[in-house]
Amino acid sequence: AAGVIQSPRHLIKEKRETATLKCYPIPRHDTVYWYQQGPGQDPQFLISFYEKMQSDKGSIPDRFSAQQFSDYHSELNMSSLELGDSALYFCASSLAGTFQETQYFGPGTRLLVL
Amino acid sequence: AQTVTQSQPEMSVQEAETVTLSCTYDTSESDYYLFWYKQPPSRQMILVIRQEAYKQQNATENRFSVNFQKAAKSFSLKISDSQLGDAAMYFCAYRGRYNQGGKLIFGQGTELSVKP
């Protein structure tokens, strides 16, 4: 079965640079979520989209923005990167109105800020 | 605000034996979902099992089962016949049923090691 695709899988950036993370949900899934997992921590919710509209927002810095496109893929844009942004970034997708709207996670993008 | 607590940072089990991971949560919502996710060294988040709060019957998935105690706000995971491949970080997660945006709230995780 098709899974959530994230690209790139690894990313190395310098401080103050910009990064764009991409997420391709499971086919037919209409909801996308972004999570950030720091070293030794649990995943923290950043933002979610349903049918291309932002549906919820968590502890996402103002330097970050995201959107969902007409084909349901999503991009997380991160500007003025800081050392503390180094983390594993997960995208998850679900289909609204289905079985507990279970979220299925992608493999994550490992971002390292130097 | 909802919170999820896993009070066991680390657990260990002998291969083929049974282990139970604990999870408690706090919420004022009456309807919600609970999940256990597994994160192996690859750091992929893999769904293990899920439970609807309005269902009294405990969920089971092969060797994995839960003990859901709604009044006590407890949601423990039992792994039977433990295998080496079960070694991973396990996260308990909560989602309000009517939570627009559907964010998951995770516990701190329990690192499970399996001894051969």
Side-chain angles (χ1 to χ4, degrees):
Chain A
V4 177
I5 297 171
Q6 291 188 246
S7 68
R9 295 291 306 278
H10 302 271
L11 193 57
I12 300 175
K13 291 286 186 179
E14 299 280 340
K15 274 182 8 179
R16 292 180 289 278
E17 286 192 324
T18 297
T20 297
L21 279 53
K22 296 185 179 182
C23 169
Y24 297 86
I26 291 171
R28 295 195 308 114
H29 279 196
D30 50 18
T31 308
V32 168
Y33 314 79
W34 286 97
Y35 293 86
Q36 177 192 59
Q37 185 179 28
Q41 297 180 2
D42 55 285
Q44 295 292 314
F45 172 75
L46 293 178
I47 196 167
S48 62
F49 293 88
Y50 167 66
E51 285 289 346
K52 293 154 278 184
M53 298 288 290
Q54 180 182 308
S55 51
D56 198 4
K57 196 171 182 179
S59 49
I60 182 170
D62 292 341
R63 301 177 289 106
F64 294 6
S65 65
Q67 58 181 323
Q68 186 181 29
F69 295 86
S70 57
D71 63 351
Y72 296 103
H73 94 273
S74 178
E75 294 183 5
L76 177 65
N77 297 293
M78 311 160 70
S79 62
S80 303
L81 286 168
E82 302 174 356
L83 296 179
D85 296 328
S86 295
L88 183 59
Y89 290 84
F90 285 110
C91 172
S93 74
S94 69
L95 180 60
T98 59
F99 194 42
Q100 301 107 352
E101 299 188 27
T102 299
Q103 296 180 28
Y104 295 92
F105 284 74
T109 293
R110 298 183 192 226
L111 172 66
L112 178 61
V113 181
L114 301 175
Chain B
Q2 296 80 21
T3 59
V4 178
T5 303
Q6 293 177 249
S7 59
Q8 306 157 315
E10 298 175 348
M11 290 284 284
S12 180
V13 64
Q14 205 72 34
E15 194 176 7
E17 295 192 343
T18 296
V19 63
T20 298
L21 308 185
S22 300
C23 173
T24 59
Y25 57 94
D26 190 26
T27 183
S28 58
E29 296 175 312
S30 59
D31 204 3
Y32 45 87
Y33 305 118
L34 295 164
F35 303 86
W36 279 97
Y37 282 89
K38 169 185 176 181
Q39 188 174 43
S42 67
R43 301 197 73 187
Q44 171 85 45
M45 292 289 285
I46 302 166
L47 176 70
V48 175
I49 199 165
R50 52 198 163 192
Q51 173 83 42
E52 299 103 319
Y54 59 88
K55 285 189 176 180
Q56 292 186 340
Q57 186 174 5
N58 290 323
T60 61
E61 286 286 341
N62 300 312
R63 297 183 295 109
F64 299 88
S65 61
V66 298
N67 183 6
F68 173 50
Q69 302 290 328
K70 190 172 184 180
K73 295 182 181 175
S74 171
F75 182 61
S76 60
L77 174 69
K78 185 171 84 170
I79 306 174
S80 303
D81 186 25
S82 297
Q83 300 175 1
L84 295 177
D86 295 334
M89 179 72 84
Y90 286 81
F91 289 100
C92 177
Y94 169 100
R95 176 186 177 276
R97 183 174 185 182
Y98 303 109
N99 177 10
Q100 200 143 15
K103 68 180 179 185
L104 290 171
I105 299 169
F106 289 90
Q108 305 90 327
T110 297
E111 182 79 51
L112 177 67
S113 59
V114 181
K115 297 179 181 177

